[in-house]
Amino acid sequence: MKIVGNVVFIIVAIILALYCIHYFVFAVFGVFHPLRRFKPTDAVHHFAAVIPARNEETVIGHLIESLKKQRYPEGFYDIYVVCDHCTDHTEQIALEAGAHVLHCEQNTHSKGDVLKDAFHQLRKNKNIEAYVIFDADNLVHPDFLARMNDAYNEGYHLAQGRRTGKNIRDSWISECYEIFYTMQNVFFNHARFCVNRSGSLNGTAWMVAASDIDLYDFDTYTFTEDLEYAAIAAMRRTQIAFVPEAVTYDEYPVKLRTSLTQLKRWIFGQVQCMRRYTGKLMKSFFCDRNETSIDIAYVFLMPVYLLGALVFGLIAWKVQPMHLDVFFRYIPMSLIIFIMYAGLVVLEFIGLWRMHEKSGSILKGVFLFPIFFLMWFPIAFVCLFEKNSTWKPIVHDRNIGIEDIK
């Protein structure tokens, strides 16, 4: 019986190690490869900026203002605010700021539903060559459309811009969000794209060709429509470009309660995607040799990995199969925890350095990020065994404009 236990222990250890090695290999590429720059082009393509909004009167005006200040020919982009059953002054403010307003024609249960409705209404506009998606609380760098235009002109039908924060230093929570997105930008999107693999989508600041929407529609069902659409794109071999110079400033949660609400929505959506697409992605990888499919499948399996690693670690510490008592006798658990903590902090510094961010200005977030990361474990446990959940909107109230971004 003990032999069987040791064999199972070894198999689980190998699976967990392979998962880590997969990310580590790409992390090395992300550190040592330069950020991809797209060749500037004189060709000008027509974009539609699509902004789902539900009661966003505090922030919607500033987003539209930042889009109006794009260094891009005025006649080649339009701004559409998609009012998702708003009951405040979002529509009035959007119209006064110079945007077009669409109304959701169907009942909606998620942001994906709002986007599908918007794309359905905009299909009749044949001038639109590509859509760029923003959240209502965003601010957009003046060069965003120009840099997305460069990527589109090189033939990319899906692209993810760089998501950073407009309120990074409001609290240690907002600093942790900046570190999270920086690591995602460096160690996933940039790391894969620099070796001609596909990045992923992260909710806002992304572009999709209108021809793709016309051909494939936008049928998403989960809370994380961005990850879900990335999986669909992976299975049809549509590469997602990472455009680091297309920058969007997002409003990060400041309070712990707001962060927990958002994290639960993210992880539950991730679990929804895992249940719906992991088998299909694995089939795509093994049968069609589609490497991007396995990358996205690994993302979906992250909640399972987190819990598996936690259980494995506790078993290794308490039960100590394979004579690990000798290991723990000379290397106490406190030292192991410190090494893991220090390793994560070093990764953060590397990621911030790679994206040319000043780590000294967010030191609280750097050293508290491991605690922020630990919050994912209990949420993942709850979401893995939860059948249904309710989509809860996040209130945005950081009332600043693009001119306030330094």
Side-chain angles (χ1 to χ4, degrees):
M1 191 68 181
K2 188 174 182 179
I3 295 176
V4 174
N6 284 337
V7 171
V8 172
F9 187 83
I10 292 172
I11 292 173
V12 173
I14 291 173
I15 292 172
L16 293 175
L18 288 174
Y19 191 92
C20 289
I21 291 170
H22 177 87
Y23 279 101
F24 176 78
V25 170
F26 282 103
V28 173
F29 290 134
V31 171
F32 292 104
H33 274 69
L35 294 172
R36 173 75 180 274
R37 312 292 182 185
F38 294 87
K39 184 179 179 180
T41 177
D42 293 329
V44 182
H45 301 281
H46 197 112
F47 290 97
V50 180
I51 309 163
R54 177 183 291 181
N55 296 338
E56 300 283 7
E57 63 182 7
T58 304
V59 293
I60 193 67
H62 290 301
L63 169 58
I64 297 170
E65 179 188 11
S66 70
L67 285 168
K68 287 286 187 179
K69 293 180 178 179
Q70 290 292 295
R71 290 191 277 259
Y72 198 74
E74 186 175 348
F76 284 86
Y77 72 100
D78 306 297
I79 305 167
Y80 295 91
V81 175
V82 191
C83 287
D84 181 18
H85 305 92
C86 294
T87 57
D88 65 354
H89 298 97
T90 297
E91 179 178 353
Q92 178 184 346
I93 293 171
L95 289 170
E96 290 174 354
H100 303 283
V101 171
L102 304 176
H103 296 96
C104 287
E105 299 176 343
Q106 307 292 332
N107 291 328
T108 58
H109 302 92
S110 66
K111 180 180 170 184
D113 291 343
V114 179
L115 288 174
K116 181 176 181 178
D117 198 324
F119 292 147
H120 177 75
Q121 295 183 54
L122 291 173
R123 275 182 170 176
K124 58 189 177 184
N125 187 341
K126 299 304 179 182
N127 290 326
I128 298 172
E129 295 179 74
Y131 303 101
V132 283
I133 315 303
F134 301 104
D135 287 338
D137 59 295
N138 293 166
L139 298 171
V140 185
H141 189 280
D143 292 328
F144 183 95
L145 288 180
R147 300 292 75 80
M148 278 296 181
N149 182 67
D150 295 339
Y152 181 83
N153 196 65
E154 287 193 24
Y156 293 100
H157 283 202
L158 268 176
Q160 174 63 58
R162 181 187 168 197
R163 183 177 186 172
T164 184
K166 70 180 184 182
N167 63 326
I168 297 171
R169 297 171 185 84
D170 281 4
S171 73
W172 73 272
I173 293 287
S174 57
E175 290 183 13
C176 286
Y177 270 85
E178 178 66 7
I179 292 164
F180 169 75
Y181 282 118
T182 298
M183 295 180 74
Q184 184 183 57
N185 285 331
V186 173
F187 298 126
F188 194 95
N189 286 331
H190 161 60
R192 280 157 179 77
F193 190 56
C194 70
V195 292
N196 205 33
R197 295 275 279 266
S198 183
S200 186
L201 302 175
N202 60 17
T204 189
W206 59 280
M207 179 268 291
V208 59
S211 58
D212 280 26
I213 296 298
D214 291 341
L215 185 61
Y216 301 109
D217 211 341
F218 190 82
D219 289 319
T220 61
Y221 304 90
T222 69
F223 284 0
T224 48
E225 79 294 329
D226 50 342
L227 281 179
E228 184 176 359
Y229 197 69
I232 295 169
M235 289 185 287
R236 66 174 186 244
R237 295 182 179 273
T238 301
Q239 187 179 14
I240 301 173
F242 176 53
V243 191
E245 293 180 303
V247 180
T248 293
Y249 305 92
D250 189 31
E251 181 178 327
Y252 295 149
V254 175
K255 297 179 180 179
L256 182 61
R257 177 176 293 182
T258 306
S259 175
L260 291 173
T261 299
Q262 188 178 72
L263 289 175
K264 186 175 185 297
R265 187 173 72 192
W266 286 355
I267 296 176
F268 184 77
Q270 201 168 346
V271 171
Q272 286 180 307
C273 289
M274 180 189 71
R275 293 167 178 163
R276 190 178 188 94
Y277 293 101
T278 300
K280 298 176 183 177
L281 289 166
M282 290 296 188
K283 181 180 178 182
S284 175
F285 173 67
F286 287 109
C287 297
D288 302 328
R289 299 293 186 267
N290 187 344
E291 295 175 340
T292 298
S293 291
I294 197 67
D295 288 341
I296 301 298
Y298 271 35
V299 173
F300 292 165
L301 290 169
M302 179 64 78
V304 174
Y305 173 79
L306 291 177
L307 290 180
L310 179 62
V311 172
F312 179 83
L314 292 174
I315 291 174
W317 182 36
K318 288 293 186 182
V319 179
Q320 297 176 1
M322 296 182 59
H323 305 291
L324 285 178
D325 56 323
V326 177
F327 175 81
F328 285 106
R329 188 184 307 159
Y330 293 101
I331 305 180
M333 179 56 68
S334 57
L335 179 59
I336 296 173
I337 293 173
F338 174 77
I339 292 172
M340 294 173 64
Y341 172 83
L344 185 52
V345 169
V346 170
L347 276 177
E348 295 167 41
F349 276 114
I350 293 172
L352 291 167
W353 163 78
R354 198 67 192 83
M355 295 304 294
H356 310 294
E357 292 209 33
K358 296 180 179 179
S359 55
S361 62
I362 54 173
L363 280 179
K364 282 189 301 182
V366 169
F367 290 106
L368 290 175
F369 183 78
I371 297 174
F372 175 80
F373 183 66
L374 284 175
M375 296 192 310
W376 294 53
F377 285 84
I379 299 174
F381 180 81
V382 171
C383 291
L384 279 171
F385 298 99
E386 195 171 43
K387 292 292 181 69
N388 296 297
S389 186
T390 303
W391 187 87
K392 296 179 180 179
I394 303 296
V395 176
H396 302 120
D397 55 9
R398 197 63 166 88
N399 191 6
I400 61 175
I402 190 65
E403 67 278 357
D404 298 313
I405 302 295
K406 297 181 181 179

